[in-house]
Amino acid sequence: LVLDQKVSVRFDTNVNKLPWNFKAKTNVMDVKIGQVNSIEFEVENYGNETTYGVASFNVSPSTFGKYYSKLGCFCFEKQTLKPKEKQEFVLTFFLDPKVVDDNKTKNIADVTLSFTFFSSDYFEKDNS
C-alpha cells in the first residue's frame, strides 16, 4: 500500500575511531509512505591499513522508528576496507503505512536516519 503522503528523510552519517569517509549520495529524500526506496552510501578508507567497521543506526524522532523498515542494509555487519579502498553500500527501506494511524507520528513530515560506523574492535568490546 503506497500512500500519497510524503515524508522528508534526512541521512546523517558519522564515523567513530576509523580513518573512513562515509556519506550518503543524497542527503535528503522525499519518500512516499509505503513505497520501497534505495539510497547509496559511499565509504572510503583513507588510512594506510585494512580496517573493519560496523554501522549502527537510529531514527529521530524515536516514535517514528517502529515504522521504518529496512529491507536491505549494511548495518550491523562487519565491513572490511583495505587502504584507500572505496565501497558503495545500499540501504533499501520503506515507511510503514500504519505510521499515519498513530497519533504520535501521523503529522511528522521530517525524519532523520543517523548511521555511525564504529571500529569493529570498539563495537565488540562495547557488547561483551
Side-chain angles (χ1 to χ4, degrees), residues 92-111:
T92 304
F93 71 98
F94 71 96
L95 306 177
D96 190 318
K98 291 185 184 125
V99 71
V100 299
D101 300 329
D102 186 331
N103 283 335
K104 291 181 188 152
T105 55
K106 68 182 180 185
N107 295 317
I108 292 175
D110 294 286
V111 179

Side-chain angles (χ1 to χ4, degrees), residues 36-80:
V36 174
N37 300 275
S38 290
I39 178 167
E40 292 180 347
F41 293 84
E42 291 178 346
V43 184
E44 178 184 7
N45 177 0
Y46 58 81
N48 296 321
E49 297 176 11
T50 297
T51 46
Y52 308 91
V54 177
S56 65
F57 78 95
N58 67 1
V59 179
S60 178
S62 57
T63 50
F64 205 93
K66 65 182 175 184
Y67 300 108
Y68 162 68
S69 297
K70 296 183 309 300
L71 300 175
C73 187
F74 52 90
C75 317
F76 307 115
E77 295 170 7
K78 186 191 268 190
Q79 307 295 341
T80 303

